[in-house]
Amino acid sequence: DSGVTQTPKHLITATGQRVTLRCSPRSGDLSVYWYQQSLDQGLQFLIHYYNGEERAKGNILERFSAQQFPDLHSELNLSSLELGDSALYFCASSVKLAGEVGTDTQYFGPGTRLTVL
Amino acid sequence: SQKIEQNSEALNIQEGKTATLTCNYTNYSPAYLQWYRQDPGRGPVFLLLIRENEKEKRKERLKVTFDTTLKQSLFHITASQPADSATYLCALVDGAGKSTFGDGTTLTVKP
């Protein structure tokens, strides 16, 4: 158990809908990262938040948005869902800002499996 | 465009042997490189991190090398065990904290 929790574990929805995925980082971790993993794309970095502020953006679609709240939990919002959005969505956390000396480990949560029908 | 290639999608070796996994990259200047292990249906688990100014890192049976001239990292598992069977991912992280992952290499260690 990494200490990172994600809810829900599974989510089945229809095209055009909007969903929210939730992540609670390990206690004390200020950084939260979101990743998408699909069979044909591998693990793709979406976005990184540090202590409530967006710090790096990857291949995140405009239909997707995220935020990190004062209590450090994070939500990933996916809207106007398409079939191709079906994937595993992982959240990871780490103590410090990525790139800082001493940032050695990202702890991944168990993931949310999203199925868009 | 940035590209990361991990050697062959699958690697099969005999128990007790050393597994060597390769990660090559192009058009990238990473601040550091990480190796992860991922089991089916589960999140990646961090194994080792090596910075651009480091040549080698070790942790128990694991060893990582990083050659920024060749743009290559090698990941070694010595005295491999069937429990080491998993998919291994390399990830490059730039100075802004953006991560780029390879597609992974699936290692099978046969008893």
Side-chain angles (χ1 to χ4, degrees), chain A residues 6-13 21 87-88 110-115, chain B residues 41:
Chain A
Q6 290 187 249
T7 57
K9 193 173 176 64
H10 301 278
L11 195 50
I12 300 175
T13 188
L21 312 183
L88 263 172
T112 292
R113 183 173 292 280
L114 173 67
T115 303

Side-chain angles (χ1 to χ4, degrees), chain A residues 6-7 10 16 18-19 21 24 48 50 54 63 65 68 70-71 78 80 86 103:
Chain A
Q6 290 187 249
T7 57
H10 301 278
R18 173 189 169 94
V19 297
L21 312 183
S24 292
H48 167 216
Y50 175 77
E54 181 185 307
R63 300 183 285 110
S65 64
Q68 186 180 25
D71 67 353
L78 315 176
S80 304
S86 296
T103 306

